[in-house]
Each structure stands twice: as structure tokens, then as C-alpha cells.
Amino acid sequence: MHFSTVFLTGFVAIAGVSAAKFPITNAVTKNTAENKMKSKLLSKARPLARKLDEGDDAADEDLVIDLTNYSIVFEKCQFVKFYNVGEDNGDEEGDVLSTNKFVIFKLCNSNNCSSGCKSDYAEYVVDMETYVAALIEMKQESVENTCNTCQENCQVDDDTPNYSVKCQSCMDRCDRYDALEENGYGDASQYTACAAVGNDDDADAYYTGAYCSDDGAQISIGVFADAYCSDSVSTQDAATVLGLAAFSNHILSATYSSECISCQQEVEDGDDDADDYEPETAETCQNLYDAAGKCETPTGFSGGYLSYYSSQASNEEDVCTFISSLDSGTYDQTGDIVIGEGGVKTISGKSNTATSAQSLFLAVLILSTMGLAGYAAMLHDEISGGKSDGSSKGEGFGTYA
């Protein structure tokens, strides 16, 4: 699996304009994005229908992933630099470090998701490209569906329509979104893929692409000096380089939103079978779950299917450790390990307070050091005194010429 290859290589290496401009969704958003995202996600995901182990009586039965009672919650994005020497031993491009980009997200029970996701949840890690593509497609579908519904419900034949307040509001929002380009603005979600944007005055190539904020809480579009969008050029503004007045982050904000995104597939309006509808897991959640590294056991997650992913089940502890390392602030914005005067330190704002055991050990160490220093001083005085006596006793021997 795509993630397994990236993760196992990386883990072995490290072991040694407004974000809420269109308030369309509720706290728990039903997902209607299904078809547009498949081309991007399915190329990375393993088959959804999972066969059980050979020899099992149910070996011919397909596994259906049921996550209808859960919601996706973004937790953090993080760049990580790994030691990665290819056939040229890193000499070709002069750098043996490659930058990998990850997103940590949770699946939380939808009943308590909005209250903090403190029970019946699990953590996952997936490459940022897969996660961003999925959430952008979902948001685009949401905006399109909302604007289509708005036009259908608010359509009037009069050349000077008198819209209701609700209709006028939604029509204005949709019109502004449609007019982004002609007003000089750019949809930030269209620039997440790393791409060249030409040369500057010094003939140095520039690239634009998605990057994580310093604390990993936001995904934005930045300027880079390399074709992998890992070497940031902080002095340049991405919108300016692209010739835009500014970015609209309305769609892109879905990739780092703190809202709970339901994994239950929404019933389309006007569906004749709506009354007989049985909940189904949205395609987005199926694909993200399938592609991600899973850490489910430590949190008592009751909705997972880790046992059917034999390779990941056997490496779950390593996956959990890797997620913890990403979430602890061990890495900076560019993926380098953060080094301070006292060694590796964190920058995520998490508590670095010493435990009681650590404090006790430090106190014993200090007292022991002071005791040893006193004892060493006493021995020094005794030895120095002995040498002095020996010297006076030898004064009668005279000196050699």
C-alpha cells in the first residue's frame, strides 16, 4: 500500500480573502462528494472490498466498511524530512533528505464529536496529497449543490426579481464565488499541487504548492525553490507570484477545518427511495480509512476494521508511535527536527513539564553530585597535606648539580 511504503521507510529513519466566507455546512456536515474525487483517491487507495484470510470459511465474502456512525476531524499536518538515498547515493541532486508530507486526522463517534472527541475515536495518518484532494472535492461538491439548490428554489421569471432575504443572501454568496477569477482573485484549492510558475528577475525558478503552518493547524499555498515544494521561499507571496490580487480560502479551509465531517452518505433530495434508505459509508471516508495508517487499539475504537489489514495490524504500535512523534512538535515547519540548547525540544505548545519521577531523579542527581564534590575536596586536602610533609622531610638530602 502507498502509505505503508512511505511510512515504514520513514519510521525506520526516525527511529534511530476569509476561511469561512460561505457558512454553508453545519457542525456535522453530510458528505455528498462521491464521483469527482475517485480519480485522485482510488489511485492511492487499496481496493475497498477486502478479502478475508485464505482458509477462512468466509474467505469469499467481501468486507464492507461501515463508518456511518463516525465523523472525520482534522488534527494536524506536518512535513518530515527522511534520510532517502537512491541509486545515485544522493549525489545527483546533492541532498539525501526527502520531505514527506502527512496529515493526522481522527474518526470520532458522531454523537460526541462536537464535544471534543474524547471517547470512541481513533487516530490516522495519511499523505497530505490524498487528504487534501478528498476534502477539497467534498467542499466543492457542497458549494455546487448549495448553489444549484439556491438557483432552483429562488428562480423567478421577472427581470427585476424581488428575492426573499434568504434567497438574496445565498444568491449573493454564489455570485461572488463565481466571480472570483474576473475580480482578480484565485481559488486557493486550485493551487495545492506543486507546480512551476516561471522565473523571477534572477532567473531562479519558483514553484507554488500546499504547505503546513508552523503549528500544523492550517494548510496554505506557499512559494518554493524546488520542484518538490519542500524548500520554502518565505520572502515571496504565492498570490503575487501567480499574478493574483489575493486567494480565497473558502474551499481550501475544508482541509483544516475543526468541524466534524460525517461519514454517512447523504440522501439526495428528491430520491424516491429516501424512505427505504439504509445508511451507507461515504466514499471519502472509505478511501481515507483504507489509505491511512491506523492507531485504533489504544483509544478503544469500536468501529474499526484493523484486524482485516494484516500488515497494518502487526505494525499498529509503530504507527501509533509515528503519529505521536508527528503530533508532539518534534519537527518544525520544514520537517527538520527541532534542536535547542538542551537537545530535541517541541514547539507545539504541549506541556514539557518534568514528571514527579524525573524531578526526584534530578534532585538525587544534584545532591549526589554535591556530595561527591565535597568528598573530592576532602581527599584533595589530605593528599596535598601529605605531600607537604614529605617535602619538609626531604630537605636534608640536598640537590643534584
Side-chain angles (χ1 to χ4, degrees):
M1 191 166 73
H2 173 76
F3 170 77
S4 298
T5 303
V6 174
F7 163 72
L8 291 177
T9 302
F11 183 78
V12 169
I14 68 169
V17 180
S18 169
K21 192 172 182 179
F22 299 88
I24 294 172
T25 58
N26 296 320
V28 177
T29 305
K30 294 296 184 66
N31 170 25
T32 58
E34 178 174 310
N35 297 320
K36 288 187 176 182
M37 55 171 286
K38 288 182 180 179
S39 61
K40 293 183 179 179
L41 283 184
L42 291 180
S43 64
K44 296 179 177 294
R46 298 169 66 183
L48 292 175
R50 182 79 48 201
K51 296 291 186 180
L52 302 180
D53 294 337
E54 293 184 5
D56 194 297
D57 292 337
D60 293 331
E61 296 181 8
D62 291 337
L63 172 67
V64 178
I65 299 176
D66 182 8
L67 298 173
T68 55
N69 294 323
Y70 294 90
S71 297
I72 296 174
V73 180
F74 171 83
E75 188 170 353
K76 182 181 182 180
C77 68
Q78 181 65 62
F79 285 14
V80 179
K81 288 184 178 178
F82 291 143
Y83 184 71
N84 184 26
V85 179
E87 295 180 358
D88 58 358
N89 293 322
D91 295 331
E92 182 71 20
E93 297 184 7
D95 193 351
V96 297
L97 292 177
S98 64
T99 301
N100 293 274
K101 307 169 184 180
F102 299 102
V103 165
I104 304 173
F105 68 95
K106 291 180 179 179
L107 282 180
C108 303
N109 190 304
S110 297
N111 292 327
N112 57 42
C113 181
S114 59
S115 62
C117 192
K118 297 178 181 178
S119 63
D120 194 13
Y121 73 93
E123 288 188 302
Y124 303 87
V125 59
V126 69
D127 65 285
M128 191 173 79
E129 181 182 358
T130 297
Y131 186 87
V132 168
L135 273 296
I136 284 177
E137 294 291 352
M138 288 177 62
K139 189 66 172 181
Q140 287 175 333
E141 189 78 10
S142 174
V143 171
E144 291 174 6
N145 288 342
T146 300
C147 290
N148 288 338
T149 300
C150 179
Q151 291 177 348
E152 292 173 1
N153 295 338
C154 301
Q155 186 68 40
V156 292
D157 297 328
D158 192 348
D159 294 334
T160 58
N162 184 17
Y163 293 124
S164 67
V165 174
K166 184 176 180 180
C167 279
Q168 188 65 58
S169 177
C170 81
M171 293 294 288
D172 288 344
R173 290 197 301 268
C174 293
D175 288 343
R176 287 199 302 269
Y177 182 73
D178 289 338
L180 281 176
E181 185 174 349
E182 63 183 76
N183 289 330
Y185 292 90
D187 182 351
S189 67
Q190 302 299 315
Y191 299 94
T192 57
C194 190
V197 291
N199 300 329
D200 66 359
D201 295 337
D202 298 325
D204 293 326
Y206 278 164
Y207 301 82
T208 57
Y211 76 96
C212 299
S213 63
D214 191 44
D215 60 358
Q218 183 171 335
I219 298 174
S220 305
I221 306 302
V223 180
F224 302 86
D226 65 304
Y228 302 100
C229 288
S230 59
D231 185 10
S232 177
V233 182
S234 58
T235 57
Q236 296 292 333
D237 175 70
T240 301
V241 169
L242 290 165
L244 302 171
F247 280 131
S248 167
N249 290 324
H250 173 56
I251 301 293
L252 185 63
S253 66
T255 64
Y256 55 86
S257 171
S258 59
E259 291 183 350
C260 301
I261 302 172
S262 176
C263 282
Q264 181 174 320
Q265 182 66 49
E266 188 178 65
V267 181
E268 297 290 344
D269 293 338
D271 192 336
D272 295 335
D273 299 325
D275 294 337
D276 300 327
Y277 174 78
E278 294 185 3
E280 296 180 0
T281 300
E283 199 79 15
T284 300
C285 291
Q286 289 181 335
N287 284 300
L288 284 179
Y289 184 86
D290 198 61
K294 304 165 181 61
C295 181
E296 299 179 345
T297 304
T299 54
F301 185 57
S302 60
Y305 293 79
L306 183 62
S307 59
Y308 295 101
Y309 296 75
S310 57
S311 62
Q312 287 201 24
S314 61
N315 291 300
E316 184 187 19
E317 183 177 354
D318 289 342
V319 174
C320 294
T321 301
F322 181 63
I323 291 175
S324 178
S325 73
L326 296 180
D327 199 30
S328 66
T330 304
Y331 304 92
D332 65 12
Q333 185 179 16
T334 64
D336 288 321
I337 294 177
V338 179
I339 304 294
E341 293 181 359
V344 177
K345 65 179 181 180
T346 64
I347 59 174
S348 64
K350 296 183 179 293
S351 175
N352 293 321
T353 304
T355 63
S356 298
Q358 290 172 331
S359 299
L360 177 61
F361 176 78
L362 181 60
V364 171
L365 180 62
I366 293 174
L367 292 175
S368 299
T369 302
M370 293 174 63
L372 288 173
Y375 182 66
M378 182 184 68
L379 289 178
H380 179 269
D381 289 341
E382 290 181 359
I383 294 172
S384 298
K387 287 185 177 181
S388 177
D389 292 341
S391 299
S392 61
K393 291 180 181 178
E395 289 178 353
F397 286 101
T399 58
Y400 293 100

